[in-house]
Amino acid sequence: AQAENAFDAAEPGHDNSSHELVLKWLQLGDGAANRTAAERVLAYLTDAELERLLRELPLDDLMAPLANDGGMYSAPALIRDGTVLPAEPLLEVFSRADGWNRVPVLAGTNRDEIKLFLALDEQHTTRRFGLFPAVADPARYEAIARLHSDNWKAIGVDEPLARMAAAAPDLPLFAYRFDWDAMRSNWLIDLPQLLGAAHGLELDFLFEPLFSERVPGVLTDSNRGEVTALGRAMRDYWAGFAYSGRPGSGRSAAYPPWPRWRPEQPLLMVLDAPLETGLRVEEAGVRVADVKETLAATTNLGARLRCALYVDMFRENNGVVELFSAREYQELGCAPFPARSLVGESR
């Protein structure tokens, strides 16, 4: 229903459901004047005519309804259709001994994943002199960032690895956390606070400059040496894993040994600089229950924002809706706030 229906249907669709996207595409250029007119046009189009119209749209027009701030776009959510993806939740799939390829797994996240998205949202930032982005409320910003980023780690690393380990105890599993944030920090702009070890920043170290080409101050004369050294170490670890199924001490055997992740001892490799102290092993497991407990104990964000965080982390976070509990939502004091009305408020 979310994927296909109109947003005002009896069973509402998503704002970017297939129905809503078609209506937006029909309004492009010299098309329908508004949504109501687009609905009338759609009612008269045959399937063949609609297919031809959509296939003729330029790529820029196809992407236009999905574009948002910062040069990003709202990617379509994936559907557990039972054909391309298993019909049941992936955590259930990984809990079985069959149904998935049991190969060595290296999983990790960036310490401050969500800060990239918070930094692009004007409800969380201001502009110094109308130009330089700055955090509006540092305490609030850090609290939101920590909850979302820890939940990202729980869902993307510790929960699936725990299921895999239980189903295949001998499977080599490895985890990392990318912590590097030694960017420009001065009275004009504080990138460690604004972005930290944000989503996508590690790509500059593994492949080629992406972040640093778009954000002035990520790469500076003072940090260039450690960026080069950390990137070399990360690529060496990745190469060792690709070669043997274990990152080990890197393909060159020049770095600290990377231990296996186990549920009873969730060890991860911290990727940071300088290499003498930044490449280090920590025991730092985070499970969804831990994040929910922290959220319940967080009382300084206001009732509405706490409820929005619960919705965005466990109901509107692609593919994990089964983590949303109506009972927990009520116990947080969220009864006055219909869940759908809060979507996106915390990020």
Side-chain angles (χ1 to χ4, degrees):
Q2 274 195 309
E4 296 181 359
N5 291 357
F7 72 75
D8 55 358
E11 193 171 359
H14 190 275
D15 289 347
N16 283 329
S17 69
S18 57
H19 186 92
E20 292 299 327
L21 281 176
V22 167
L23 296 183
K24 292 172 184 177
W25 285 325
L26 289 175
Q27 295 174 67
L28 293 173
D30 296 325
N34 50 46
R35 186 175 181 276
T36 302
E39 286 277 21
R40 288 198 296 267
V41 172
L42 182 59
Y44 284 99
L45 287 174
T46 66
D47 288 349
E49 289 170 337
L50 179 59
E51 179 182 357
R52 185 169 63 252
L53 185 151
L54 296 182
R55 288 187 182 279
E56 290 175 353
L57 281 178
L59 178 60
D60 287 348
D61 286 353
L62 276 173
M63 300 303 295
L66 300 170
N68 55 37
D69 293 338
M72 305 182 76
Y73 65 92
S74 302
L78 305 179
I79 298 173
R80 300 196 297 248
D81 61 353
T83 302
V84 177
L85 294 177
E88 65 268 44
L90 286 178
L91 293 182
E92 292 182 16
V93 174
F94 292 137
S95 296
R96 303 197 314 257
D98 60 353
W100 54 283
N101 294 323
R102 285 174 288 175
V103 297
V105 174
L106 172 60
T109 57
N110 292 6
R111 188 194 62 212
D112 305 306
E113 292 276 6
I114 200 68
K115 280 190 175 182
L116 172 64
F117 309 100
L118 299 183
L120 295 172
D121 190 331
E122 291 184 356
Q123 71 169 319
H124 301 295
T125 59
T126 59
R127 293 272 175 176
R128 288 190 179 127
F129 308 111
L131 294 172
F132 302 100
V135 173
D137 183 334
R140 181 177 182 272
Y141 193 81
E142 289 299 327
I144 294 171
R146 191 74 279 120
L147 283 160
H148 267 297
S149 299
D150 284 352
N151 193 54
W152 199 309
K153 181 179 183 300
I155 292 171
V157 179
D158 296 286
E159 295 290 357
L161 292 190
R163 278 24 174 231
M164 292 177 187
D170 296 329
L171 186 67
L173 304 173
F174 304 92
Y176 71 86
R177 191 185 68 225
F178 179 83
D179 279 17
W180 185 86
D181 67 353
M183 299 170 283
R184 178 165 293 142
S185 177
N186 56 36
W187 66 278
L188 279 178
I189 191 162
D190 187 345
L191 290 179
Q193 181 187 65
L194 185 68
L195 293 174
H199 179 76
L201 182 56
E202 84 287 1
L203 299 178
D204 279 41
F205 295 76
L206 285 170
F207 300 109
E208 61 182 15
L210 295 168
F211 241 96
S212 53
E213 284 193 347
R214 292 161 176 78
V215 183
V218 170
L219 184 62
T220 66
D221 290 340
S222 61
N223 69 21
R224 194 176 303 273
E226 68 180 34
V227 167
T228 300
L230 179 57
R232 184 181 297 116
M234 289 170 61
R235 293 190 296 274
D236 207 27
Y237 277 130
W238 260 245
F241 179 73
Y243 182 79
S244 68
R246 289 163 175 77
S249 295
R251 185 75 179 97
S252 68
Y255 298 101
W258 191 320
R260 281 178 60 173
W261 184 100
R262 291 180 170 86
E264 66 276 12
Q265 193 177 26
L267 298 175
L268 55 76
M269 181 64 77
V270 175
L271 302 171
D272 201 354
L275 298 189
E276 293 77 16
T277 56
L279 292 178
R280 64 187 187 275
V281 175
E282 284 189 11
E283 184 172 337
V286 182
R287 305 294 285 271
V288 167
D290 299 325
V291 178
K292 288 183 174 182
E293 183 178 339
T294 300
L295 178 61
T298 302
T299 58
N300 61 343
L301 293 178
R304 185 181 180 91
L305 179 54
R306 282 206 315 160
C307 297
L309 279 159
Y310 190 92
V311 169
D312 287 337
M313 289 193 294
F314 306 120
R315 182 180 183 271
E316 297 297 322
N317 195 353
N318 290 348
V320 298
V321 68
E322 66 277 359
L323 299 178
F324 181 90
S325 164
R327 176 187 56 79
E328 291 176 348
Y329 192 66
Q330 294 281 332
E331 290 174 352
L332 270 179
C334 299
F337 311 109
R340 185 171 175 79
S341 70
L342 300 180
V343 175
E345 283 196 17
S346 75
R347 61 187 180 196

